[in-house]
Amino acid sequence: MAAPRHSATGEPDGTREDRTREDEAREDETRDEDTQVDGTRADDTRGIVDPAELLTRVRFRRPEPAPPLRPYVEHYWLIDWDLTEPYVSHVVPHPAVHIVFQRLAGEDAFVEIAGIPHGLFAQKLEGRGRVCGIKFRPGAFRTVVPERPVSQWTGARVRQPEVFPDTDPATVLDPADDRARVAALDTFLLALDPRPDPQAELATALVDRIRTDRTIRRVTDFARTEGLSVRLLQRLFAAYVGVGPKWVILRYRIHEALERAGTGTPVDWAGLAADLGYADQAHLVRDFTTTVGVSPTAYAQGVH
């Protein structure tokens, strides 16, 4: 069943003359994603601590998956590096689970499930390496691994052979060009056969509403607006998102503050705190410092 679905994604058949228009569109999309992650669009680097510094050290792309996978996958992310000195990247996590194929210096290639980290995510990069990741939409990971609630993956990074024991990471990591690696990721995911799940779709929609609507500040108010009890909302998020609605509300606030701090322009922190629903500037500073490790003003000074 997976093979016909994969063929519909436009995987190249080996000659440029035989490529379909869909193949060419996929290549154009990949090239477009290269230009979009240079910091010109806020959502491309949202959550990355000091994205400008990271992008001077790695090649970072975010191509789209095949159309049948887009309801479940936000984007793929491809990173390659060749460093003379070690570098530690930091990310303020999104409410999303990832499947990541990795080839790190001094290690055999592997694939892992990366649940939502509790705090700041850090990854040491050194030597030469490659990562090909799948970022699921919030709520959608349960459609490919339905056996347990997503909250059981939270804070965990689980490698082979516990997960995907029959998958050879080289099939994703070895191809020489991005288009072939994207096709390999498509093949991998289509074989997992994700199916529509109304509860997953509801969770995805609710998280997206929190992300885009700054007026959502309290879980009780949000639950009432959505016609749900607080308890039912919390259970849905635990089962399908992996973290609670309060965590999601607070995390998107920090993403916004991080983005504003990195613009290079003076920030009215008291005004931003009010915009984000904080009682005062002190509460924003506390949450930012706890999450990122430095105060907003120290961060803003350090990235410029």
Side-chain angles (χ1 to χ4, degrees):
M1 180 173 63
R5 293 172 67 186
H6 176 239
S7 64
T9 69
E11 183 180 2
D13 61 6
T15 64
R16 186 171 184 84
E17 291 78 5
D18 292 335
R19 284 169 53 197
T20 64
R21 290 184 179 180
E22 190 172 353
D23 293 329
E24 293 172 349
R26 164 61 62 75
E27 188 173 19
D28 289 341
E29 286 172 358
T30 301
R31 284 200 301 268
D32 287 345
E33 292 296 334
D34 261 330
T35 62
Q36 288 169 351
V37 293
D38 64 1
T40 58
R41 273 187 13 198
D43 59 341
D44 282 332
T45 57
R46 194 172 297 271
I48 299 175
V49 176
D50 199 355
E53 176 69 14
L54 173 67
L55 295 176
T56 64
R57 297 174 182 268
V58 305
R59 184 166 175 255
F60 184 25
R61 294 86 72 206
R62 281 191 173 124
E64 287 188 301
L69 295 169
R70 291 176 191 172
Y72 313 104
V73 176
E74 189 165 321
H75 57 71
Y76 297 146
W77 48 280
L78 313 179
I79 303 179
D80 296 273
W81 65 91
D82 190 356
L83 302 173
T84 57
E85 297 180 354
Y87 172 74
V88 180
S89 66
H90 295 90
V91 177
V92 177
H94 292 247
V97 179
H98 299 249
I99 295 177
V100 192
F101 293 79
Q102 303 189 53
R103 178 174 286 128
L104 307 178
E107 295 189 38
D108 293 333
F110 64 92
V111 58
E112 72 174 358
I113 293 175
I116 302 170
H118 292 295
L120 189 68
F121 173 81
Q123 177 66 58
K124 184 178 182 181
L125 308 177
E126 55 187 333
R128 179 177 295 179
R130 170 173 291 167
V131 172
C132 299
I134 302 164
K135 181 182 180 183
F136 286 87
R137 296 188 185 278
F141 179 71
R142 187 85 184 264
T143 64
V144 298
V145 185
E147 296 82 11
R148 58 169 118 169
V150 179
S151 59
Q152 291 189 13
W153 297 102
T154 300
R157 298 179 68 178
V158 186
R159 295 189 183 189
Q160 289 174 307
E162 287 187 63
V163 295
F164 313 122
D166 299 324
T167 298
D168 180 3
T171 60
V172 171
L173 295 165
D174 282 358
D177 64 88
D178 284 359
R179 189 158 44 88
R181 290 194 286 275
V182 168
L185 289 169
D186 286 343
T187 300
F188 167 77
L189 273 184
L190 288 167
L192 296 180
D193 197 24
R195 302 290 182 91
D197 179 337
Q199 290 295 98
E201 293 169 5
L202 175 60
T204 299
L206 292 175
V207 172
D208 193 58
R209 209 157 297 157
I210 293 172
R211 181 181 63 83
T212 57
D213 186 350
R214 280 193 188 176
T215 66
I216 298 172
R217 299 173 178 178
R218 295 173 57 86
V219 174
T220 51
D221 295 340
F222 181 52
R224 182 167 52 252
T225 299
E226 298 300 327
L228 301 169
S229 69
V230 170
R231 179 60 181 155
L232 187 58
L233 182 66
Q234 291 171 334
R235 288 173 59 187
L236 176 69
F237 271 57
Y240 284 89
V241 181
V243 290
K246 181 178 180 180
W247 188 100
V248 176
I249 292 170
L250 292 174
R251 185 47 47 93
Y252 283 135
R253 286 177 174 179
I254 296 302
H255 282 173
E256 177 67 20
L258 192 69
E259 199 73 19
R260 293 284 290 276
T263 60
T265 58
V267 178
D268 175 5
W269 293 109
L272 179 59
D275 288 345
L276 296 178
Y278 282 95
D280 52 40
Q281 181 178 341
H283 283 81
L284 169 59
V285 171
R286 181 197 62 197
D287 282 355
F288 189 103
T289 304
T290 299
T291 304
V292 181
V294 295
S295 70
T297 52
Y299 174 78
Q301 294 167 359
V303 297
H304 300 292

